[in-house]
Amino acid sequence: MTAGVAALWLHRNSLRILVRRDLAVKYQQSVLGYFWSLIEPLGMGAIYWFVFGVLYSRDTGRHLGEAAGSYPLFLITGIFAWMWTSSALSEATNALTGQSRLITTMNVPRQVFPIGRVTGRFAEYAAGLPILIAIAVIYAVHGRIHPGWSLLSLPLAVVVQAVLLIGLALLLSAWNVLMRDVERLMRLIIRVLFYATPIIYPLSLVRESGLPGWLKVVYELNPLVGIFQLHHAIWYPDEFPDARLLATTVVGSLLVLVAGWWSFRRLEPAVLKEL
């Protein structure tokens, strides 16, 4: 794995070129271009705010605590991070099948292709950060939030999320070449993960629910739970994951990265033969 990382670093220019190409192709016939990476999460945030912040405001406010007065910021923070997750997983799954000609002709580590999809979607997430910061400033001026040291949660959340997504991208892209059902299965899994992760609701809602204890433990084994807690903790320090959840998230993400890298290397000969 160390040699593989070194090889990736040597071919970092190829990775940058692939990311630029993917972004250019994605938006080349779009009038609004990169603005779509902002419009979609903002539109989703508006819908969920209307449902949970207006129609069910009484029930929502009971569990949000400090975030009750700035629920739109809570929503947008989670949805921006979720768009990076869902887009990266969807596009990384067919990163090899959709670029077979390049893979068989370019002399670069094959990991570059799924990692490039994750990197490209991070660029879209980074493009939305100024919007997120502007909304946070408005709430901070009105005394609805009080960010401080918790702002350091952002780089930690980004690093852990990147580790998890790269591991999943390597795993899914390789298996999808050999079993095309993986791509269809991921569409369902991504939908389930959206509601099985504290994106539009606080983690306390799950912890205080009447779910069986074992199910709550299984729920928190999902590394995305701790990752989205870190994202929310940027503006709401009380949402910062406790030591057990943070350790589960970091260790789980690293294990997924190792498993993804190992699987990719083991399956690479069969994948190249299939392509």
Side-chain angles (χ1 to χ4, degrees):
M1 185 171 180
T2 303
V5 172
L8 279 177
W9 177 252
L10 290 175
H11 291 87
R12 60 189 181 276
N13 288 332
S14 300
L15 176 61
R16 186 175 67 251
I17 292 170
L18 284 173
V19 171
R20 287 181 176 177
R21 186 210 63 169
D22 288 343
L23 290 173
V25 169
K26 185 175 181 179
Y27 297 111
Q28 66 179 353
Q29 293 182 333
S30 172
V31 175
L32 296 178
Y34 291 109
F35 283 104
W36 280 115
S37 63
L38 306 177
I39 295 172
E40 188 173 357
L42 289 174
M44 288 179 61
I47 293 170
Y48 286 110
W49 170 78
F50 177 74
V51 175
F52 298 104
V54 177
L55 299 182
Y56 294 97
S57 58
R58 183 178 300 178
D59 295 331
T60 304
R62 272 205 318 261
H63 296 278
L64 282 173
E66 181 186 1
S70 54
Y71 184 51
L73 176 61
F74 184 91
L75 272 177
I76 295 299
T77 300
I79 290 176
F80 264 80
W82 171 253
M83 294 303 296
W84 176 21
T85 302
S86 61
S87 299
L89 293 181
S90 297
E91 297 186 20
T93 301
N94 62 9
L96 300 182
T97 56
Q99 304 180 93
S100 57
R101 186 179 296 253
L102 282 176
I103 292 168
T104 54
T105 56
M106 288 182 66
N107 185 24
V108 297
R110 275 75 186 192
Q111 294 95 326
V112 163
F113 296 94
I115 292 176
R117 295 296 175 88
V118 175
T119 307
R121 303 298 75 76
F122 169 72
E124 294 177 339
Y125 169 75
L129 284 178
I131 301 296
L132 188 60
I133 293 172
I135 297 173
V137 168
I138 293 173
Y139 281 111
V141 169
H142 289 84
R144 300 286 184 87
I145 61 171
H146 306 281
W149 63 267
S150 60
L151 293 174
L152 297 176
S153 298
L154 177 58
L156 178 58
V158 167
V159 170
V160 178
Q161 187 171 350
V163 168
L164 177 65
L165 292 179
I166 288 173
L168 289 173
L170 292 171
L171 187 66
L172 294 171
S173 61
W175 277 107
N176 188 54
V177 175
L178 305 177
M179 295 186 299
R180 299 303 171 94
D181 292 336
V182 172
E183 186 174 356
R184 296 181 176 87
L185 180 62
M186 280 307 300
R187 295 172 191 167
L188 173 61
I189 292 176
I190 288 173
R191 292 180 183 177
V192 172
L193 282 176
F194 179 78
Y195 293 101
T197 306
I199 300 169
I200 61 175
Y201 59 84
L203 178 59
S204 60
L205 183 62
V206 176
R207 288 179 168 176
E208 297 171 8
S209 68
L211 293 173
W214 66 268
L215 189 54
K216 294 180 182 179
V217 172
V218 171
Y219 176 89
E220 294 190 18
L221 287 177
N222 173 11
L224 287 174
V225 172
I227 289 171
F228 279 89
Q229 285 300 102
L230 286 171
H231 280 288
H232 288 308
I234 298 169
W235 320 114
Y236 311 101
D238 292 342
E239 297 294 322
F240 195 88
D242 53 49
R244 179 179 59 82
L245 180 57
L246 183 60
T248 300
T249 300
V250 174
V251 172
S253 299
L254 289 173
L255 288 176
V256 170
L257 175 61
V258 172
W261 198 285
W262 179 82
S263 296
F264 192 93
R265 294 296 296 170
R266 288 295 299 270
L267 296 173
E268 190 172 0
V271 165
L272 291 176
K273 183 179 179 180
E274 185 68 23
L275 292 176

